[in-house]
Amino acid sequence: MSRKRDLITSDFAGWRYKHDYVELLNLLGHYLSLHFCIVCRDNVGTTRTSEAKAMATVKEPLTPVTGHEIEVVLQRLRNSKDVGADLLRVLDIAIGITGADMGTLQRFDERADCLIIVASRGFSPEALNYFGVVRRDTNTTCAAALMRRMRVFVEDVSTSYLFVGTRELDVLRSCGIAAAQSTPLISSNGHLWGVFTTHFRELQIEREFDHAPLDRLAVQVTDSLEQREDLVPSQHFHDKQIAEDSQPGG
């Protein structure tokens, strides 16, 4: 028994010295990727959490009005000649479901291997120019969602490992963004069409949010878009490009 323990100890020591720092980081990354979403918290703990604002409509069913808006926009996505304006309506619904203040919707360009903004709400031209094309190595929740094909949620961008010390954090702060979540648009067939991200001006509490309505919307939208895969947004739609009376709820 003693000899067996010595062998185990010797093997562990060998493993420890043979594997460098990069390998340890890879193991840590693999561990994080097993989680359904990433929740980034700060060191203040309960103090920050008590100050944070939970997402609107937490654990509440969709209202009849929102349900009707979703039905209308899905029908338009299946039949419209240019999906750009309708994608802005989709983004508005996602912003409403999450109780967010602004957001972006990006299409995944397979050839260029990047995300391209096709609809946005609440961002300055400078911010849209900076985040207009997002590649896999960009420090953003949408890039992380693209890489992992799962939702990425950051409760506080100022303490998240994705953003600390990056130019991206400076841009987010200039927009007044405190938290963000990115949900990949993946069809029922497993095809990734893009990502929509909603942003918040206040800290958020991820554990109090019911993801189901947003997940359903993502699948429904992507399935509708797949039926018209020959159509792509002809331009980037943002903010006031759709008349107020034609927006959801208008």
Side-chain angles (χ1 to χ4, degrees):
M1 183 68 178
S2 175
R3 177 174 174 75
K4 183 177 181 180
R5 287 181 177 175
D6 290 342
L7 288 174
I8 293 174
T9 302
S10 176
D11 289 342
F12 176 77
W15 178 91
R16 183 177 58 187
Y17 289 109
K18 288 180 181 178
H19 287 69
D20 59 15
Y21 183 65
V22 174
E23 288 296 326
L24 292 177
L25 287 180
N26 287 338
L27 288 175
L28 178 60
H30 175 69
Y31 171 77
L32 290 174
S33 69
L34 294 178
H35 290 74
F36 181 71
C37 62
I38 298 173
V39 180
C40 301
R41 305 180 186 280
D42 56 22
N43 296 325
V44 182
T46 55
T47 301
R48 287 277 192 172
T49 300
S50 64
E51 294 175 354
K53 169 191 173 186
M55 280 184 174
T57 68
V58 171
K59 300 184 184 303
E60 295 179 2
L62 295 178
T63 65
V65 173
T66 301
H68 176 68
E69 291 171 357
I70 293 175
E71 291 179 6
V72 171
V73 77
L74 292 177
Q75 184 64 32
R76 290 179 62 91
L77 285 174
R78 289 190 288 266
N79 299 303
S80 64
K81 295 181 179 180
D82 187 343
V83 299
D86 297 315
L87 289 177
L88 182 54
R89 294 183 174 91
V90 168
L91 178 60
D92 285 335
I93 293 173
I95 291 173
I97 288 176
T98 57
D101 301 291
M102 59 188 75
T104 60
L105 196 156
Q106 299 154 297
R107 176 179 174 81
F108 177 55
D109 186 325
E110 295 185 9
R111 292 184 179 181
D113 193 34
C114 65
L115 294 169
I116 300 174
I117 292 179
V118 293
S120 67
R121 179 72 72 186
F123 283 88
S124 67
E126 293 76 16
L128 291 176
N129 181 62
Y130 186 84
F131 292 116
V133 176
V134 171
R135 304 194 181 280
R136 292 176 183 269
D137 59 351
T138 306
N139 295 101
T140 59
T141 55
C142 54
L146 170 65
M147 290 285 290
R148 293 172 171 80
R149 292 175 63 91
M150 62 181 65
R151 179 179 12 264
V152 174
F153 196 112
V154 173
E155 295 180 336
D156 183 349
V157 298
S158 67
T159 61
S160 168
Y161 80 93
L162 279 174
F163 299 112
V164 171
T166 67
R167 170 59 178 156
E168 286 81 357
L169 178 58
D170 294 335
V171 177
L172 292 177
R173 281 174 168 169
S174 70
C175 298
I177 294 172
Q181 73 80 32
S182 291
T183 299
L185 292 164
I186 301 177
S187 71
S188 55
N189 293 326
H191 175 252
L192 189 146
W193 192 91
V195 176
F196 53 42
T197 303
T198 54
H199 306 77
F200 310 84
R201 296 191 183 281
E202 298 183 36
L203 304 181
Q204 296 298 304
I205 306 172
E206 191 275 341
R207 68 175 181 272
E208 295 188 8
F209 175 55
D210 181 7
H211 300 298
L214 198 60
D215 290 340
R216 285 196 300 270
L217 177 64
V219 174
Q220 290 173 324
V221 167
T222 313
D223 283 349
S224 297
L225 288 168
E226 279 200 329
Q227 296 179 27
R228 304 296 301 276
E229 191 59 29
D230 57 313
L231 296 177
V232 297
S234 62
Q235 59 178 305
H236 168 198
F237 280 77
H238 62 91
D239 293 336
K240 302 299 182 181
Q241 282 186 266
I242 296 180
E244 294 294 337
D245 60 358
S246 67
Q247 292 183 17

